[in-house]
Amino acid sequence: MKTKTFDGATAWGPVILLVLVVASWASATVVTKHIYLKHLATPFTMVAVRFTIAGIFAFLIYWLTTRNNKTALPLVGGIKNYLMGGLFLSIYMIGLNTALIYISATLGGIVFFGLNPMVVLIGGYFWLGVKSGWRQVVGVLISLSGIAIVISGGNLDKLLQNLNSGNLLPGLALMVFATFGWGLYGLWGKRYTSSLPGTSLLSTSLNQLIGVIPVWILLILFEPNGLASLSFEGLLYIAYAGIVPSALGFALFYTLLRYLKLEQVATIQLFSPIFTEALAILFLDEPFGLELVLGTLVLLWGVRVATAPRKKNSPE
């Protein structure tokens, strides 16, 4: 597979970095589920503390790396861009992290990153005017088929039974809610991210600190004793999720948006369910079966189809 940037240059580096970012997001999903299973923190406490740490850490790195750079301009594009980014990120924060109360880390990763490419491609078409080729559409559909195999085990009755489960539907609804938030957040960053030094870190910091405000309000209203019940072990896990996937991962994601095609960003994120599945099996003892292997292979095939380079003089 040979991936190209917008200017035609070979871009293996950004692809590899994005895969590492996606792997870190998968680890955050597993860490979050572990926190809930072990009752190390209440949901809104976990989300509020995680993204507050992430925002502060990202801003600290931004300040340290740009304080001597007189060309670094804060608030590039105005405060509106950060308010909108924070709103989209808030939807993602609340939806994904509360969904994991109801569903497994494996299923959460599969649903979130299975639906996300469709949100990005459809949103990119209507919002950014980016037209995807037939390979990208077919690749995403193949990958979604792999995800369906994992959920159903190839058995429609099993799928219907899972949907009738008391906790499954709320979890799926919240995950779909999170998917739209994250998809819009990525599209917003794609449209407004600047190439000025430190901009991705500043955007990440302000988006997270703005987006976490509604979470703190929910924490005060519904979990008034949440901070008092936070354990030291839980704080360590939350700090990891805040610094590595949320601060560094989000900032790097924003940077990589400038070097990869929209369909590449959408489909490479489909690797996340694979990482989530592996980590959940290893650390959460979630079940492993043949449908997981088959579904993963189909998903990877879809990723390969969607990220294949366009042939020269292709009408796409």
Side-chain angles (χ1 to χ4, degrees):
M1 182 178 70
K2 184 179 179 182
T3 305
K4 296 182 179 181
T5 58
F6 290 109
D7 61 2
T10 302
W12 280 106
V15 168
I16 294 171
L17 286 175
L18 183 56
V19 170
L20 293 176
V21 168
V22 168
S24 75
W25 291 341
S27 71
T29 300
V30 173
V31 164
T32 299
K33 188 65 179 181
H34 175 77
I35 290 172
Y36 293 161
L37 290 174
K38 298 297 183 180
H39 305 289
L40 301 176
T42 58
F44 289 134
T45 301
M46 195 285 299
V47 181
V49 175
R50 171 185 171 182
F51 286 97
T52 300
I53 291 174
I56 293 173
F57 184 82
F59 187 81
L60 178 62
I61 299 299
Y62 164 77
W63 178 77
L64 289 174
T65 55
T66 63
R67 68 185 189 278
N68 295 323
N69 187 346
K70 296 181 180 179
T71 63
L73 300 176
L75 301 180
V76 176
I79 190 63
K80 177 184 175 182
N81 291 348
Y82 297 99
L83 290 173
M84 291 300 295
L87 173 63
F88 298 142
L89 194 57
S90 184
I91 294 172
Y92 156 78
M93 291 178 191
I94 296 171
L96 185 141
N97 291 281
T98 52
L100 292 173
I101 300 171
Y102 302 100
I103 58 179
S104 68
T106 298
L107 182 57
I110 287 171
V111 172
F112 180 82
F113 285 99
L115 293 177
N116 186 66
M118 299 302 291
V119 174
V120 171
L121 292 177
I122 294 172
Y125 177 81
F126 287 104
W127 195 0
L128 304 180
V130 177
K131 295 182 179 180
S132 299
W134 67 267
R135 282 191 301 272
Q136 284 71 51
V137 176
V138 171
V140 169
L141 292 176
I142 292 172
S143 296
L144 291 176
S145 300
I147 291 168
I149 291 172
V150 175
I151 296 176
S152 67
N155 186 331
L156 182 59
D157 290 335
K158 179 182 176 182
L159 178 60
L160 294 176
Q161 289 174 3
N162 287 337
L163 291 176
N164 289 327
S165 171
N167 290 332
L168 184 59
L169 284 178
L172 291 177
L174 286 165
M175 197 59 74
V176 171
F177 182 68
T179 302
F180 277 95
W182 179 251
L184 292 173
Y185 176 67
L187 290 170
W188 187 262
K190 184 74 173 176
R191 185 171 185 176
Y192 292 106
T193 298
S194 167
S195 61
L196 290 175
T199 300
S200 60
L201 279 167
L202 179 63
S203 298
T204 296
S205 172
L206 293 180
N207 288 161
Q208 290 172 338
L209 292 177
I210 291 171
V212 82
I213 292 173
V215 184
W216 278 105
I217 294 173
L218 292 173
L219 170 61
I220 293 170
L221 291 176
F222 298 105
E223 297 174 359
N225 297 320
L227 289 176
S229 63
L230 176 62
S231 69
F232 180 71
E233 181 184 359
L235 181 60
L236 291 179
Y237 281 117
I238 292 172
Y240 163 78
I243 293 173
V244 179
S246 300
L248 300 178
F250 282 24
L252 188 54
F253 173 73
Y254 247 131
T255 301
L256 294 173
L257 287 175
R258 300 198 300 269
Y259 301 101
L260 296 171
K261 295 183 177 70
L262 189 63
E263 61 267 19
Q264 291 171 338
V265 174
T267 51
I268 289 173
Q269 289 184 72
L270 285 169
F271 279 105
S272 185
I274 301 170
F275 294 124
T276 304
E277 291 161 13
L279 293 172
I281 291 167
L282 289 173
F283 297 105
L284 300 179
D285 295 323
E286 292 189 0
F288 173 79
L290 179 61
E291 67 274 10
L292 196 60
V293 176
L294 179 60
T296 298
L297 291 175
V298 174
L299 187 147
L300 286 173
W301 177 34
V303 171
R304 175 65 181 88
V305 171
T307 58
R310 297 175 184 178
K311 295 181 180 180
K312 192 173 182 180
N313 298 326
S314 171
E316 298 174 12

